[in-house]
Structures are given as structure tokens and as C-alpha cells.
Amino acid sequence: SLASITIPDSVTSIGAYTFRDCTSLTSITIPDSVTSIGTNTFYGCTSLASITVADNNQSYCDVDGVLFNKDKTELVQYPAGKTSASYSIPNSVTEIGDGAFSYCTSLVSITIPDSVTSIDDYTFYDCTSLASITIPNGVTSIGKSAFSGCTSLTSITIPDSVTEIGDYAFFDCTSLTSVVIPDSVTSIGTN
């Protein structure tokens, strides 16, 4: 039932899964003092529409409510409650964090730039409207449960750069009819 929270300036670190399943939380502001945010901090926050970072924060920033590290090389969290149908990840991003797009049920398409080198665990978990995605040639690994629950995804082509596909990567992708796996892949996880 937590609908809002004020994080005081005394807080320097927000741990992994801190706000897990806070389904009524609609917005949050990260103060200047925060220098560390753990993985999946906002996992399951399905109403979270905006993350704002204080202007003087030295470690993080936001762009239109999306949380990035300060130099925008890592997309930390796309709020699951945003209602946009499409999103283009900025070209500065090289890493998409664990669970960064989990539960983003409004997103139909996501554009990943060539600068991205890995798709981490649970990145697109339960993006039930995601119909198509192109994995760029720079990606070398697809993490655990990266596309689990993407029930609208019908096909996917994995580029020659990928060598590893994690456990449950396409688990419960009930509409998936075509997957192209290149010779470069040396490891495919369970399920």
C-alpha cells in the first residue's frame, strides 16, 4: 500500500530489492546523497511512472523519468508504470541493468543501440506487450530470464556476437515461433 516515500539526505545507499513489489508507488526522488543503488531496487513496482534524481547527485541522473548512472552508460531502471508504447535506449548506454525493464507491460517495442554489450538477468522480464526486439551485434551474452514472460514476442534473431544464453532466457514466451541461434553460441542455460 506504500504510495509515496521521502528518502532523506542522510541515505547514501539503496540496497537490492528495497522497494520490491511496492505496487502502489507511483514516483520517487533520489536525493543528492545517494551514491549506490542495488540491483532490482524497483522490481515489481508496476505503478512507478517516474524516477527523479536530484540535480546535484554525483552518481545518478534521470532522463524523462528513466534512471541512469551519471555518465549515462548504464540504464538502471525504466519505470514499469510508464505508459509509452516504444522506447529507444540512448546511444551512450553500454549496459542495461538487471531487471531494468521488468514488468513494463505497455512497451511494444524497444530499440537497443549497438553500444550495448550485454543483456543482464531479468532485463525484459514479463514485458507482456513486447512484440519485437532486435539484439545488436555488440551483445555477447543474454542473461538469466532476460525475456521470460514476454508472451507477445513472436520471433527473435540472436546475433553472431552472442556466446552465452542464460537459464530461462525465453521461458514462458508462449507466442515465440522462431528463434535463430548462431554458431557463436557455446552455452545455453536450462529451461
Side-chain angles (χ1 to χ4, degrees):
S1 298
L2 183 69
S4 68
I5 189 164
T6 302
I7 302 172
D9 288 333
S10 56
V11 173
T12 59
S13 178
I14 301 172
Y17 295 98
T18 297
F19 300 104
R20 180 178 183 166
D21 293 333
C22 289
T23 56
S24 298
L25 189 65
T26 58
S27 66
I28 194 163
T29 299
I30 309 295
D32 292 339
S33 56
V34 172
T35 58
S36 173
I37 297 174
T39 59
N40 292 300
T41 298
F42 304 103
Y43 190 83
C45 294
T46 53
S47 297
L48 186 64
S50 177
I51 301 168
T52 304
V53 179
D55 291 339
N56 293 324
N57 187 297
Q58 297 300 305
S59 302
Y60 297 95
C61 68
D62 72 277
V63 177
D64 297 326
V66 180
L67 179 63
F68 293 88
N69 65 347
K70 191 65 174 185
D71 61 3
K72 298 183 190 124
T73 56
E74 180 185 2
L75 191 155
V76 179
Q77 185 70 56
Y78 183 97
K82 279 181 83 74
T83 56
S84 302
S86 64
Y87 181 70
S88 291
I89 297 170
N91 290 329
S92 60
V93 173
T94 59
E95 181 183 356
I96 305 169
D98 284 7
F101 289 92
S102 59
Y103 298 103
C104 290
T105 56
S106 294
L107 283 173
V108 175
S109 68
I110 299 167
T111 303
I112 304 173
D114 291 338
S115 55
V116 171
T117 57
S118 69
I119 296 174
D120 290 347
D121 297 347
Y122 300 96
T123 298
F124 301 105
Y125 182 84
D126 233 17
C127 289
T128 54
S129 298
L130 188 63
S132 68
I133 194 157
T134 300
I135 299 173
N137 288 324
V139 171
T140 58
S141 65
I142 297 171
K144 176 176 62 177
S145 294
F147 295 96
S148 287
C150 291
T151 53
S152 297
L153 195 62
T154 57
S155 68
I156 192 156
T157 300
I158 299 166
D160 290 337
S161 55
V162 172
T163 59
E164 182 180 353
I165 299 172
D167 296 342
Y168 297 90
F170 301 103
F171 184 79
D172 204 23
C173 290
T174 53
S175 298
L176 196 60
T177 58
S178 171
V179 179
V180 177
I181 301 173
D183 291 340
S184 58
V185 173
T186 58
S187 172
I188 298 175
T190 60
N191 290 290

